[in-house]
Amino acid sequence: MERSLRNVLVVSFGFLLLFTAYGGLQSLQSSLYSEEGLGVTALSTLYGGMLLSSMFLPPLLIQRLGCKGTILLSMCGYVAFSVGNFFASWYTLIPTSILLGLGAAPLWSAQCTYLTVMGNTHAEKAGKRGKDVVNQYFGIFFLIFQSSGVWGNLISSLVFGQSPSQETLPEEQLASCGASDCLMATATTNSTQRPSQQLVYTLLGIYTGSGVLAVLMIAAFLEPIRDLQRQSGGEKKSPPFWSTLLSTFKLYRDKRMCLLILLPLYSGLQQGFLSGEYTRSYVTCALGIQFVGYVMICFSAADALCSVLYGKVSQYTGRAALYVLGAVTQLSCMIALLLWRPCADQLAVFFVFSGLWGVADAVWQTQNNALYGVLFEMSKEAAFANYRLGEALGFVTAFGYSTFLCIHVKLYILLGVLSLTMAAYGIVECVESKNAIRPCDPGHANPAEDKEAQTKM
């Protein structure tokens, strides 16, 4: 097997094991720990930690530890969060959430940097366009990674499926589910029927073991990127400490970054809505917590399949067409969710919404990462740190207002942010297309001059 592809697969399967645990836990937090909003508060704290770490840690850790060392250290924070759920309280979930959040931004920045370097290295050897190979590698990664949602949610559904069957709710109690849910209903719903503690411990034991296996796989099989750069003669002298620290903020001098920050912001908002609001106010409220896993499996399967599909077709359709597809799909879902009143008799509809959400989310996951890697190739670590900064801000916002805004208000917010995001993205694409047709030979362009021109656009 080709060397770069083998390393991409190691990263992908390591993340598969890690997020089999974390993805399943995140989907259940708002339903499992609904008392006093502990679940969504823990998630908000988690992404608050990620927001802070995005500002400083990724470039520093990647410079000092390398991509492999950064991934290993960050993964340990995820394992700690799983352990903290064994003793769920404000004194365990909040500290472990902060620890996970601090490691999340370096983890994803290191992963994005690693795949981008692998893609460009292979493209040089094979005589291909770098952005095409990078797109393909991100497609492979997200195909494997997004399937973690299938396994994580399948495990939770099988474990919690051993709970006694829950009764169908009367019509008047179902009225508090869906877009009309303002989290102030006094009627008993399926969300109040919690699985036994023994089943919760069984699930947490499986998730913790999966996270430990992920750490061991990366430690044993992933090749350090510095070794590859040294062998190809591409290793560069490390920049000064303060230059690395401030590189995340310096990148905002590039007008493209200022416009594109809305992409990760919206990505965080829409993921937060699905895992925090849809699972609780639609699925758990009307069907019960044992159906959360099955519904999220549909989302993850659609996300995974579309991720690899988009990675291959983007070289023929261009990324703009995929962004339009994602925006239209999610826009349609939001309008439908505003109008739909969920009930147990319409079981298939719950899966249709999650599947379509996965089709759209695959666009944001694959194309956003590839877009940042291509446009900011000279500052990859800082660019991906900014990406995680924006995404974390979206998550913090989504989980932060989760406990005091009605569902229909949150959907209107998503609609507004999506519209602004696509407008900003369209401006960047227009500028990039004009730069691409400048009267010069792209094969002999001066990278420094090109970068300066783009920064001053």
Side-chain angles (χ1 to χ4, degrees), residues 61 331 394 425 442:
L61 288 182
L331 180 69
Y425 166 73

Side-chain angles (χ1 to χ4, degrees), residues 179 282 330-341 353 411:
Y282 288 85
Q330 234 159 31
L331 180 69
S332 303
C333 286
M334 292 174 202
I335 295 175
L337 286 172
L338 282 168
L339 302 175
W340 179 49
R341 290 185 61 188
F353 276 119
L411 285 169

Side-chain angles (χ1 to χ4, degrees), residues 312-323:
K312 290 184 176 296
V313 303
S314 62
Q315 56 187 310
Y316 305 108
T317 63
R319 60 181 176 242
L322 295 179
Y323 274 111

Side-chain angles (χ1 to χ4, degrees), residues 248-267:
T248 301
F249 300 104
K250 287 181 178 178
L251 204 54
Y252 282 100
R253 293 184 298 184
D254 190 328
K255 300 300 188 300
R256 297 172 302 170
M257 177 61 71
C258 296
L259 290 169
L260 290 178
I261 196 62
L262 284 173
L263 279 173
L265 174 67
Y266 174 74
S267 177

Side-chain angles (χ1 to χ4, degrees), residues 2-13:
E2 198 275 326
R3 192 176 190 179
S4 294
L5 181 59
R6 180 180 65 83
N7 283 295
V8 170
L9 291 176
V10 171
V11 172
S12 301
F13 281 103

